[in-house]
Amino acid sequence: RSIHIVALGNEGDSFHQDSRPSGLIRTYLGRSPLVSGDESSLLLSATSTVARPVFTEYQASAFGNVKLVVHDCPVWDIFDSDWYSSRNLIGGADIIVIKYNVNDKFSFHEVKDNYIPVIKRALNSVPVIIAAVGTRQNEELPCTCPLCTSDRGSCVSTTEGIQLAKELGATYLELHSLDDFYIGKYFGGVLEYFMIQALNQKTSEKMKKRKMSNSFHGIRPPQLEQPEKMPVLKAEASHYNSDLHNLLFCCQCVDVVFYNPDLKEVVEAHKIVLCAVSHVFMLLFNVKSPADIQDSSIIRTAQDLFAINREAVCPGASQDSPGNPPLRVIVKDALFCSCLSDILRFIYSGAFQWEELEEDIRKKLKDSGDVSNVIEKVKCILKTPGKINCLRNCKTYQARKPLWFYNTSLKFFLNKPMLADVVFEIQGTTVPAHRAILVARCEVMAAMFNGNYMEAKSVLIPVYGVSKETFLSFLEYLYTDSCCPAGIFQAMCLLICAEMYQVSRLQHICELFIITQLQSMPSRELASMNLDIVDLLKKAKFHHSDCLSTWLLHFIATNYLIFSQKPEFQDLSEILVEERSFVEKHRWPSNLYLKQLAEYRKYIHSRKCRCLVM
């Protein structure tokens, strides 16, 4: 007998990380008197969890001889990277525990808005426990004015937790600390109650099956074996931040050069990246006008810090730049200019690493007043129009939004002529783009624009073999690191485009999308759909999509009775001989089972008795 528990969420508190090294689940397993197993045996080896690297798997014994298996996932991004495996794991759970920290309201709302709907769809009458962990710190009173109904407090209130529990039909608990009382008697008591309920239900189902089998004393029906497990695909990690960060150092597609007040070159940069994060640079490079921004502080910052140099030549300017020469910008503030290379490195990294930026500036300027002055100018550059002190607490903002922030801002320039320096011609229409982003995100594009090819000196570049919709989806991934195909056919077209330009992570995303769509289809829909699975397999093999082709082979074998009735199934014998052999070997149900089933039916009809199974 076994009990499977899936724990989701991060109960960690940034204020007490040193005093609380263990999480809720690990603490319970170590302190509960009903759970046996030493510290070394609780955590399994990494080789046993390679299929789900985000989950930490624990095993122990409960109630003496009951196997307890716990999958703990503190990283919510699992649903974005491997939600196919996560859905299967949640579907097989006996108990689900959702945990969060009461002082992390940003993460709570992100989980509530983005991930709880996914969990609700995967639930199947499984008991859920919601654990709110921690003591609320610096809680503010909510706004009570009639025009504002939102809770401006920095903590997750009890009301919000209870409301979330009602949506899931869950049991709500508040654990102010991870001590013996809250873990052993409070959380442990509720968890162990549901464990007993799960054991009782499994015992009842087992007794029903045994009773059904004992009620028939004649020949037993054949046992249908389980189909082979489908191969698990792991999503490739994103390298979006490093791609654009490396663009600053490769000095490719540079279109703006900054000079100090003495007209000495300081650093080179790219307009598209700077404009993606700052309205100050949008104003400076004429992407937006003062009337569009309507924020005097941003306009004043652009005028006080920068000036466009219209002279033909600046001292130290390179003379061999192909095409239009880079725009020359003079930085008026000498202190700000001396730290400009560190500031641009900070902007290109997109990680809001304020402490590192302050440390770099402090090493150069020494004086604390000068450091504060430069940091305030950086905040003004990154300010959103119409908002006051939007980056007031930089450390809090960094903790809440540690990922790159270009993926939404760069979408503003997707398929727009603003700052575009290359135009693709596809199916009689044109698509403007930006070389800097293409070079940073795609190695094939980088070689094409910087090698001895026609595209390196041409502005208009024809694209063949790809539809406009597919190419726009490809560009959307390069600009935003995300894509959302409309269906399996479009995902396959995008996979082929990604293989053509050697963007492996986009290939994996398309593979996961196709697999998830097919896996979610019921048998009736698989039988009636017009999609040619064999043709999909041939395209996957031709375009070197090994993961998808292997999965499709298992999928065809597992649904053999459905696909063997389709006309295209004959292509497996005529073209894909090895693949047909694999499908016949791993087909489900097997030939042996069908033969035994036919004999059993014959016996039932010969005895003129009623079959309880059939």
Side-chain angles (χ1 to χ4, degrees), residues 75 136 184 199 230 232 268 272 297 312 366 381 539 554 593:
V75 183
R136 293 177 176 84
L199 287 175
M230 304 293 288
V232 178
E268 298 174 326
I272 179 67
S297 63
K366 309 297 182 183
I381 289 177
K539 288 181 179 179
H554 282 82
Y593 171 79

Side-chain angles (χ1 to χ4, degrees), residues 58-75:
Y58 302 96
Q59 283 194 5
S61 297
F63 306 109
N65 61 346
V66 177
K67 183 180 179 181
L68 184 63
V69 181
V70 183
H71 297 277
D72 191 6
C73 173
V75 183

Side-chain angles (χ1 to χ4, degrees), residues 566-577:
K566 293 180 176 289
E568 62 268 13
F569 189 76
Q570 298 302 320
D571 291 345
L572 281 176
S573 301
E574 301 170 2
I575 302 175
L576 305 174
V577 180

Side-chain angles (χ1 to χ4, degrees), residues 146-192:
L147 299 178
C148 182
T149 59
S150 64
D151 182 6
R152 295 187 178 181
S154 59
C155 305
V156 183
S157 65
T158 302
T159 304
E160 291 175 301
I162 294 175
Q163 182 63 33
L164 178 60
K166 288 182 178 179
E167 293 180 13
L168 292 175
T171 301
Y172 176 76
L173 302 176
E174 285 201 357
L175 312 176
H176 299 300
S177 64
L178 299 183
D179 56 17
D180 290 333
F181 172 76
Y182 285 104
I183 293 297
K185 296 183 179 179
Y186 195 25
F187 173 75
V190 175
L191 182 62
E192 289 155 10

Side-chain angles (χ1 to χ4, degrees), residues 3-19:
I3 299 176
H4 291 261
I5 300 175
V6 175
L8 304 171
N10 186 3
E11 70 276 26
D13 189 346
S14 59
F15 295 100
H16 302 90
Q17 286 182 350
D18 295 335
S19 61

